[in-house]
Amino acid sequence: MSNPKDAIKEKSMVIQKEMLANLFTELSTAKENGKKVVYTFVPGNLTELILALDMLPVYPEINALQSGMRKRSGSYIKDAEKLGFSEDVCTYVKCDIGMMLNGNIGPTGEKLPDPDLLLLSYTGCFTFLKWFENLERLYPGVEIAMLHTPYQEDGVITDDQINYMVKQLKEEVIPKMEKVAGKKLDYDRLEKMLGNAAKAEELWVKVLETAKHRPSPIDSYFAGVYYMGPLNTAFRGTEEAVSYYEELYKEVNERMEQNLCPVTPEGEMKEEKFRLVVEGPPNWTNFREFWKIFYDMGAVIVASTYTKVGGLYDQGFRHDPLKPLETLSRYCMGCYTNLNLPQRVDLIEHYIKEYKADGFLINSIKSCNSFSAGQLLMMREIEQRCEVPVGFIESDLVDPRYFSYANIKNRLESYFQMLEQRKIIMSQEEAHV
Amino acid sequence: MTQAPPRLTTLLDECKQLAFDLNFTYAKQWKSESENRILVGYLPIYVPREIIHASNGLAVGILGAGDRKQIIKGDAYYQSYICHLPRGVIEMALDDNLNNFDGFLFPSICDCVRNLSGMFKLAKKGKFTRYFDYPQNFQKNIGGTFYRELIETIMNDMFKINGVKITNEALNNSIALYNRNRQLIEEMYAIRQEFPWRLSAVDAYHVMRAGMVVNVEKHNLMLEEIVQLISHDFGESLDNIRVVISGSFCEQPPIGMIKSIEMAGCYIVDDDLMLGSRWIIGDIDAHTNDGLNSIVDAFLTQSAPSSAIYDVGNPKGARLVTQVKMRNADGVIFCAASFCDPALLDRPDLQKACDNAGIAHINFQFHENTGQFKVIKEQAGTFSDSIKLWV
Ligand code: SF4
Ligand code: SF4
């Protein structure tokens, strides 16, 4: 591992930082400048619609994860529990509500503006519905628009489902958004944004696919969550996002050509020992420590399902400017947690094979049924189909009470030992052939 | 005061047997008696059973294994922080309790049930498995159209198995039977509201749960008799408070817990335990030339308040308060399964609605196989005493 001081701040990181800083400045002055603010979710987000109507998006999930990283989530969660929320429920919801109870202070230390619209585009998780029902009551009188995204229960997107979504968009969601924005949707502008989205998506896929190279120049999970930021949040559809992914791809590609390993918070990894596919979101409260366990062992995540919650672009989906409402509908239905369990297993199997992974690991999140329910069966299926060592650890997104460092480290160390042994056995077998 | 009529005791015993027969013997027997009959299992909360009935099928409610089956395999499929119901259902599926079922429906009430539908698909259980993704949009031309298409898909699934084409006449007949079923259930609840001592909460629960596993014709006959028998005076009123149970619409509390609440001095005068059977409020029009349309309309406009339905514009807090007042209840017991996101995420708002209306409430969490009721009994007892003191 090279010295952390040597770690170069890559240009793409600087660009992303600037993009975020500008967004938060805009948000902090939104009310003065008459800008309308829309709270919405990451999976199945309709960012192009929001931006095309000159509104500003806020993502409560992102606020929650940032609160987790800033070590604020623990107290926010407790405050929500004092209000009557059970210890058992999704901690993102509680963290968000706790943050609101404490003045809704964003990552820059400034208060986030109250929403003018709650845009409940509810994809892949039933809890979203409950979350915004609660917010609607906590912001009395706020406008709320709901887009129900049908689940891919049969592993396909049907015409009935598309028609249902397009009708909702046309007759309910867009009129409500226009009402709040005080203007009509400019479809030319929307189409242009969808075109930009497709360009950024193309580049993002190229970035992800560099992990097929040995060694992988990126960590698709721990670094992937940063890389996916602009596309999953306020910037999809913008020129800035396209430039960001151009720069990111350039950097990653250069690293790949030089056979370099991923960059970590402590500098560049020197050796790729294990290639893993990971299912499930990361823990945010102890993100750095969690990541360190992996890079200290030379483990690189070459593909992850979590980086697909905001869209499954690597499986071919691109926003299509020629069919704006249909494409938004397909996008919402195609996000990872909106896939049925057999599709999820197939996707993981595909990743393990495509990315030539040595193992498969699940980080099961205590408070997220959408991801977690069924993971043990998924694990068995993968074990049978791919014959790679599988590992299972448990933590939470933002509740520090459920991150046990010693426990996770022990489990991972045993898992890495298993991978090591398998490597030895396999190389011995190869030598015999 | 007189004793309960012996016929009532016999009927209630039969309901008790049926309610907890996890092998679904009655349903399987029913299927074997005639060709082309099918069994369609469904999870909480609601599916339009009329459709299955009209297709020569029996909709069988699968409510988990409760405390009646030891869970061994199920625990290997679920982490400790996931509610108990799905592990019991998987255990039953792996143990052949659900053999002979033709299809399974998983209503879209939460991500556990949703993902369980995928587990059934992976395990290749039944000839069809559908996540019953009913709309959360209640406009006739949007959600209504989608709902109709969804039901037609299931009709087609059933047709592929038994070749029965659903006629409008058959559908109207099924609608009428289920209308009668809901009327009788409401009559039973109305009598219990006034004279809760005539039918204990546990007995009423058995009656309702039996209705999930037998054909509607049989359940109607049983209910007709039960309603008639409890219309006459018997038993003795106790100095109990009257409560509504809220939050138990999916995973079911163990019988011991329902009993403990009543023994602690709380008559349960309404609940959401078998919400699926009471989901549609009022009758569905059984005299049109498009019965399917009537079923769709009823879903859009007559659905009961529930944690599984988007409620902006029709908040369930206000609806709970109305229910409490209508039942002349003294308080609410929030009683949700541990780790049940839909029920538990609704709880603070429902509690607030109760507070604003001056309705007393307490809350418990449970597992379907909870074996210890001491604390719950104490809590319910204190609740009852405190209300008696102030009312
Ligand atoms: S349950 Fe999971 S997917 Fe749903 S809101 Fe919570 S963290 Fe997000
Ligand atoms: S008990 Fe709650 S969380 Fe569990 S399956 Fe039922 S509705 Fe879902």
Side-chain angles (χ1 to χ4, degrees):
Chain A
M1 189 75 58
S2 59
N3 190 316
K5 279 184 229 131
D6 301 340
I8 323 138
K9 264 246 177 317
E10 285 158 320
K11 198 172 157 203
S12 63
M13 283 166 88
V14 178
I15 297 176
Q16 187 175 152
K17 229 179 153 189
E18 269 173 26
M19 285 161 82
L20 285 169
N22 292 343
L23 173 69
F24 281 106
T25 309
E26 266 203 275
L27 280 169
S28 66
T29 55
K31 298 289 162 184
E32 295 153 39
N33 297 333
K35 277 245 176 186
K36 302 292 181 192
V37 175
V38 182
Y39 284 21
T40 198
F41 293 112
V42 169
N45 69 72
L46 302 171
T47 300
E48 295 85 353
L49 269 182
I50 299 170
L51 298 181
L53 281 161
D54 282 320
M55 298 195 281
L56 290 173
V58 169
Y59 302 87
E61 292 155 290
I62 306 286
N63 295 342
L65 80 84
Q66 282 172 339
S67 299
M69 286 179 131
R70 286 182 297 139
K71 311 272 182 212
R72 303 257 166 85
S73 53
S75 69
Y76 289 164
I77 289 168
K78 280 191 193 133
D79 287 344
E81 287 174 358
K82 279 185 214 144
L83 209 68
F85 286 95
S86 163
E87 226 186 88
D88 291 353
V89 301
C90 167
T91 48
Y92 262 10
V93 181
K94 286 188 288 186
C95 182
D96 181 43
I97 288 175
M99 177 170 147
M100 187 206 152
L101 296 173
N102 285 283
N104 226 14
I105 306 300
T108 54
E110 282 167 303
K111 183 185 180 311
L112 289 172
D114 285 355
D116 297 292
L117 174 70
L118 299 175
L119 176 55
L120 168 53
S121 54
Y122 129 61
T123 308
C125 168
F126 195 85
T127 298
F128 288 146
L129 184 92
K130 303 276 105 197
W131 190 338
F132 270 23
E133 279 179 355
N134 272 289
L135 282 198
E136 194 249 355
R137 272 134 228 184
L138 292 169
Y139 292 105
V142 69
E143 292 280 1
I144 180 160
M146 129 79 110
L147 176 66
H148 174 207
T149 301
Y151 186 55
Q152 286 201 42
E153 74 95 19
D154 217 8
V156 285
I157 294 173
T158 67
D159 288 345
D160 291 349
Q161 292 173 330
I162 293 171
N163 292 338
Y164 173 50
M165 289 201 72
V166 169
K167 266 199 267 177
Q168 290 181 75
L169 283 168
K170 244 193 216 157
E171 295 180 32
E172 300 212 320
V173 177
I174 294 175
K176 180 66 74 69
M177 293 177 80
E178 288 176 333
K179 184 181 154 206
V180 173
K183 61 166 74 170
K184 282 267 161 216
L185 175 65
D186 175 349
Y187 274 85
D188 288 340
R189 195 166 168 209
L190 175 65
E191 283 160 26
K192 190 157 182 283
M193 288 191 145
L194 294 169
N196 282 340
K199 282 186 210 158
E201 288 153 9
E202 192 69 34
L203 290 158
W204 168 229
V205 172
K206 285 186 176 177
V207 170
L208 287 171
E209 289 185 341
T210 58
K212 289 181 185 170
H213 186 265
R214 264 181 204 269
S216 168
I218 58 166
D219 187 294
S220 271
Y221 186 55
F222 292 107
V225 298
Y226 292 102
Y227 300 153
M228 74 184 187
L231 199 55
N232 280 354
T233 57
F235 307 99
R236 203 182 60 217
T238 64
E239 312 263 348
E240 286 165 288
V242 179
S243 311
Y244 167 78
Y245 284 102
E246 277 168 354
E247 183 56 38
L248 178 65
Y249 178 58
K250 199 174 119 226
E251 288 165 7
V252 169
N253 200 40
E254 275 169 16
R255 301 184 61 75
M256 182 175 74
E257 281 168 1
Q258 292 167 44
N259 285 325
L260 296 176
C261 292
V263 179
T264 75
E266 292 184 65
E268 189 179 284
M269 278 175 77
K270 284 288 162 252
E271 190 195 356
E272 172 188 282
K273 278 173 82 180
F274 309 113
R275 297 167 65 83
L276 300 180
V277 170
V278 169
E279 146 79 10
N283 161 273
W284 300 114
T285 53
N286 299 67
F287 186 80
R288 287 275 175 97
E289 281 169 272
F290 189 37
W291 187 357
K292 185 170 163 49
I293 304 175
F294 287 81
Y295 60 71
D296 278 353
M297 297 301 299
V300 177
I301 318 301
V302 288
S304 72
T305 54
Y306 182 65
T307 44
K308 315 299 158 31
V309 285
L312 221 65
Y313 306 109
D314 62 340
Q315 300 308 300
F317 175 82
R318 298 287 178 275
H319 281 88
D320 179 357
L322 298 177
K323 296 177 190 159
L325 301 190
E326 182 183 324
T327 207
L328 288 170
S329 307
R330 283 186 183 277
Y331 160 70
C332 290
M333 285 188 277
C335 293
Y336 176 70
T337 45
N338 205 51
L339 304 184
N340 72 12
L341 237 50
Q343 286 175 292
R344 281 170 64 179
V345 174
D346 289 347
L347 183 71
I348 292 166
E349 179 186 6
H350 167 78
Y351 283 158
I352 290 171
K353 291 179 177 161
E354 274 291 299
Y355 287 79
K356 303 207 168 28
D358 304 307
F360 171 59
L361 181 76
I362 293 179
N363 180 34
S364 186
I365 295 295
K366 180 204 166 258
S367 65
C368 181
N369 288 342
S370 173
F371 261 101
S372 303
Q375 277 177 332
L376 288 166
L377 178 61
M378 288 168 72
M379 187 174 81
R380 288 175 189 210
E381 285 280 322
I382 291 296
E383 199 170 17
Q384 278 170 13
R385 291 191 201 179
C386 302
E387 294 176 349
V388 292
V390 296
F392 194 85
I393 50 174
E394 295 172 316
S395 65
D396 190 61
L397 290 159
V398 286
D399 193 335
R401 294 172 293 189
Y402 299 105
F403 185 87
S404 161
Y405 178 76
N407 213 331
I408 289 176
K409 192 161 190 279
N410 277 343
R411 280 212 186 191
L412 284 173
E413 276 172 359
S414 323
Y415 179 61
F416 292 131
Q417 270 169 19
M418 192 158 79
L419 289 172
E420 185 78 63
Q421 272 165 1
R422 183 170 178 266
K423 279 207 155 172
I424 295 168
I425 294 167
M426 281 175 71
S427 58
Q428 281 168 350
E429 279 174 3
E430 266 168 35
H432 275 121
V433 175
Chain B
M1 280 282 171
T2 50
Q3 292 289 306
R7 176 63 187 150
L8 181 63
T9 313
T10 311
L11 278 166
L12 295 177
D13 279 346
E14 191 186 352
C15 288
K16 187 177 172 181
Q17 291 303 320
L18 286 165
F20 285 102
D21 175 10
L22 297 185
N23 282 314
F24 306 97
T25 320
Y26 179 90
K28 289 174 186 168
Q29 174 66 28
W30 176 88
K31 180 181 165 176
S32 70
E33 282 165 8
S34 170
E35 260 190 47
N36 294 339
R37 284 185 171 177
I38 56 170
L39 296 183
V40 180
Y42 71 98
L43 272 91
I45 308 173
Y46 168 76
V47 296
R49 293 183 288 174
E50 294 84 346
I51 309 289
I52 298 162
H53 184 268
S55 160
N56 208 12
L58 177 56
V60 183
I62 301 171
L63 298 158
D67 54 358
R68 311 295 164 114
K69 188 171 171 66
Q70 205 192 345
I71 304 301
I72 301 159
K73 302 178 199 98
D75 279 341
Y77 282 84
Y78 283 100
Q79 302 89 313
S80 58
Y81 38 81
I82 289 177
C83 65
H84 210 267
L85 175 125
R87 63 193 81 215
V89 175
I90 268 291
E91 186 91 12
M92 287 199 280
L94 297 174
D95 272 359
D96 302 336
N97 298 50
L98 304 177
N99 282 4
N100 250 333
F101 279 56
D102 297 279
F104 297 97
L105 297 175
F106 298 81
S108 61
I109 68 169
C110 74
D111 298 323
C112 285
V113 168
R114 184 195 72 174
N115 290 0
L116 183 60
S117 72
M119 292 171 78
F120 268 56
K121 278 186 201 285
L122 281 169
K124 302 203 170 29
K125 290 283 161 191
K127 297 185 186 99
F128 71 89
T129 295
R130 291 232 174 251
Y131 179 58
F132 188 61
D133 199 3
Y134 52 73
Q136 295 289 357
N137 175 296
F138 301 98
Q139 295 303 314
K140 172 109 185 163
N141 68 323
I142 307 176
T145 306
F146 180 67
Y147 190 46
R148 189 179 176 112
E149 288 158 351
L150 177 66
I151 295 177
E152 283 168 347
T153 309
I154 291 156
M155 283 160 71
N156 193 36
D157 287 334
M158 295 188 293
F159 176 75
K160 281 193 210 144
I161 299 170
N162 66 359
V164 173
K165 195 127 194 89
I166 300 179
T167 64
N168 194 55
E169 199 190 342
L171 202 48
N172 276 338
N173 173 51
S174 306
I175 292 173
L177 283 165
Y178 278 100
N179 280 344
R180 184 67 193 136
N181 191 254
R182 284 186 294 268
Q183 288 158 9
L184 288 163
I185 288 171
E186 287 319 309
E187 282 177 41
M188 183 178 87
Y189 269 80
I191 296 170
R192 287 199 69 250
Q193 178 198 335
E194 258 194 277
F195 313 104
W197 56 91
R198 290 189 196 162
L199 189 68
S200 74
V202 169
D203 286 334
Y205 179 79
H206 288 149
V207 174
M208 293 294 290
R209 190 156 172 165
M212 310 291 279
V213 293
V214 299
N215 47 326
V216 64
E217 293 86 346
K218 181 177 169 67
H219 197 227
N220 283 354
L221 284 176
M222 295 172 108
L223 279 168
E224 300 269 7
E225 265 201 272
I226 291 167
V227 165
Q228 194 261 330
L229 288 163
I230 62 170
S231 299
H232 300 287
D233 205 16
F234 62 86
E236 210 168 318
S237 162
L238 299 173
D239 180 26
N240 282 0
I241 61 157
R242 304 152 60 79
V243 298
V244 169
I245 297 262
S246 172
S248 307
F249 48 81
C250 181
E251 184 171 321
Q252 299 290 297
I255 288 294
M257 190 170 143
I258 302 175
K259 205 179 269 174
S260 299
I261 293 172
E262 224 166 42
M263 279 168 60
C266 307
Y267 280 136
I268 300 169
V269 291
D270 210 340
D271 60 74
D272 55 6
L273 290 158
M274 291 289 142
L275 186 58
S277 314
R278 306 166 69 202
W279 183 276
I280 299 296
I281 300 171
D283 283 351
I284 302 180
D285 193 342
H287 304 287
T288 69
N289 53 15
D290 186 357
L292 188 48
N293 184 50
S294 307
I295 288 171
V296 170
D297 278 353
F299 175 81
L300 298 176
T301 60
Q302 293 164 240
S303 285
S306 149
S307 295
I309 287 275
Y310 178 59
D311 81 340
V312 170
N314 192 9
K316 43 189 138 3
R319 297 177 80 176
L320 176 63
V321 169
T322 309
Q323 186 187 24
V324 171
K325 291 188 175 153
M326 198 187 81
R327 290 288 182 210
N328 200 15
D330 302 302
V332 175
I333 297 185
F334 291 100
C335 182
S338 296
F339 304 108
C340 177
D341 260 23
L344 294 170
L345 283 166
D346 271 348
R347 200 176 64 188
D349 188 57
L350 294 176
Q351 287 175 331
K352 201 168 153 209
C354 287
D355 288 339
N356 292 342
I359 297 167
H361 54 86
I362 49 167
N363 77 75
F364 312 133
Q365 280 180 219
F366 67 87
H367 283 298
E368 59 180 3
N369 62 348
T370 304
Q372 297 293 327
F373 309 112
K374 198 170 163 273
V375 177
I376 287 172
K377 203 170 163 185
E378 275 167 15
Q379 252 185 290
T382 313
F383 185 55
S384 164
D385 292 344
S386 68
I387 287 181
K388 279 186 220 160
L389 208 62
W390 295 108
V391 174

